[in-house]
Amino acid sequence: MNRREVLALLGTITALPRAALAQQPNTTRRLGVLSVTADDDAAGQTRSAILVEALAAHGWKEQANLRIDWRSGGGDRERIARLADELVALKPDILLAVGTPSVEELHRRTATTPIVFAVVTDPVSQGFVKNLARPGGNITGFTDYDGPMAGKWLEMLTQITPKVSRALVVYNPATAPFAGLMLQTIEDAGRSLRVTVEAAPLHDAASIAALASRRDGGLLVLPDFFTMANRAHLLAAITEARVPAVFWSTTFVAEGGLMSYSTDSAEQVRRAASYIDRILRGAQPADLPVQNPTKFELAFNLKTARAIGVTIPAHLLATANDVIE
């Protein structure tokens, strides 16, 4: 290119509107997504579709200016770790971690690549961020838990007929490292509600199947992607036990669980897209505050209630977002 051509090109650039200049160059950016659910999980597929839609609304479209590398762990902690290695090795511009184990594994592998998380509980005590207002590192995102929720789950068990006086708290310690926080809240609520609370950790198919013999109370299934990935076996065991259970996601209720009180994980992914957009345009994760959930869902399955001889009070049904007849 000769001097005259260079001057002509500079003149063209100067004449461009400011907005057009901000969009140049139109290079493809790379997003790595690590989710703890399986590839064929319906709830996970819904979240993925919502993410793509939300990113497109911000101007980031696959096959145009954004490449997305998808990885799904299927509730297997060792697999999630391997997939985290794969994604970090791809050197993406940004990472999205769905679920606590995903954040933990990515956090171990990079302190520089920006990470946005969704559906994560208590990121401060787990060491992902310094505090909610000023995360202070390369990680920020959207939590799935509000402090009073765990007590609300136990309260729901005490409001049904017949009333529950014993509750088993179900989770996998390997995929729900935050369970201690929730268990403490549930135990505190149990003392005031006069309900005996007992931890019932799960590890594998055998421990899930063993729940079928626990017919001495109700169950609280904590937010845990192990329980989500294994929900068919979990629901089968609870159905055999014929005991009431409160779940952390409406997905369980749609598939036969009795009731759930939860945050909207799909909405968290939609909100996460806004942070991905801001970071790709130059914002720093350290400056973007971690945001708590704003949308909650209450659901009941009356068919299941009738099958196990449980009555849901009218005042709870009146406030439900979803009632399956």
Side-chain angles (χ1 to χ4, degrees):
M1 181 177 293
N2 59 38
R3 183 173 179 274
R4 180 176 298 176
E5 291 172 329
V6 170
L7 291 174
L9 178 58
L10 288 174
T12 301
I13 293 175
T14 303
L16 285 173
R18 187 177 300 272
L21 284 170
Q23 296 173 0
Q24 302 295 324
N26 190 21
T27 57
T28 297
R29 310 300 292 276
R30 193 163 192 170
L31 165 66
V33 179
L34 180 58
S35 173
V36 295
T37 56
D39 289 325
D40 58 352
D41 180 82
Q45 290 176 345
T46 297
R47 285 192 294 269
S48 297
I50 287 173
L51 175 65
V52 171
E53 176 187 15
L55 287 171
H58 289 288
W60 299 102
K61 300 180 181 180
E62 284 192 285
Q63 313 303 325
N65 58 358
L66 183 67
R67 174 174 176 175
I68 305 180
D69 299 296
W70 304 91
R71 298 292 187 274
S72 302
D76 184 328
R77 190 55 185 263
E78 292 184 358
R79 175 174 168 78
I80 293 169
R82 293 195 302 271
L83 295 175
D85 282 329
E86 290 182 15
L87 281 177
V88 172
L90 293 174
K91 300 185 183 304
D93 295 289
I94 190 169
L95 292 158
L96 172 65
V98 182
T100 295
S102 298
V103 187
E104 188 170 9
E105 295 300 339
L106 291 172
H107 179 45
R108 289 175 177 174
R109 289 160 175 79
T110 178
T112 56
T113 303
I115 300 172
V116 176
F117 62 72
V119 200
V120 167
T121 301
D122 195 18
V124 176
S125 69
Q126 295 186 79
F128 302 151
V129 299
K130 291 181 179 179
N131 59 65
L132 300 185
R134 301 285 293 183
N138 65 316
I139 302 177
T140 188
F142 299 82
T143 73
D144 68 344
Y145 178 67
D146 181 73
M149 283 185 67
K152 178 68 174 180
W153 296 327
L154 187 61
E155 183 181 348
M156 289 171 65
L157 278 179
T158 66
Q159 292 181 356
I160 63 175
T161 304
K163 179 181 177 180
V164 171
S165 60
R166 185 181 185 85
L168 300 180
V169 182
V170 176
Y171 62 96
N172 183 340
T175 52
F178 48 79
L181 169 71
M182 296 183 179
L183 189 58
Q184 181 178 347
T185 301
I186 294 168
E187 289 172 344
D188 291 342
R191 284 187 282 273
S192 62
L193 294 169
R194 296 183 181 180
V195 176
T196 300
V197 175
E198 177 186 341
L202 305 177
H203 302 279
D204 49 28
S207 56
I208 293 175
L211 291 176
S213 63
R214 302 297 298 265
R215 306 184 181 189
D216 53 348
L219 300 178
L220 299 180
V221 181
L222 298 191
D224 180 355
F225 282 95
F226 174 85
T227 58
M228 177 63 79
N230 293 277
R231 65 184 180 276
H233 299 299
L234 183 60
L235 287 167
I238 294 173
T239 298
E240 184 176 347
R242 295 180 59 82
V243 294
V246 180
F247 297 90
W248 64 275
S249 169
T250 57
T251 300
F252 290 91
V253 177
E255 297 181 10
L258 177 63
M259 51 187 173
S260 68
Y261 180 63
S262 61
T263 57
D264 188 341
S265 62
E267 180 63 18
Q268 291 169 50
V269 170
R270 188 186 304 279
R271 296 170 72 195
S274 67
Y275 270 16
I276 292 171
D277 169 59
R278 291 176 66 178
I279 292 170
L280 287 176
R281 297 183 189 277
Q284 297 300 312
D287 300 327
L288 299 176
V290 174
Q291 298 190 37
N292 286 325
T294 58
K295 187 176 180 181
F296 300 85
E297 298 178 321
L298 179 63
F300 297 96
N301 190 316
L302 295 186
K303 180 179 179 181
T304 299
R306 289 191 293 268
I308 63 175
V310 164
T311 301
I312 307 295
H315 74 273
L316 282 181
L317 292 175
T319 59
N321 301 89
D322 190 17
V323 177
I324 298 174
E325 299 288 348

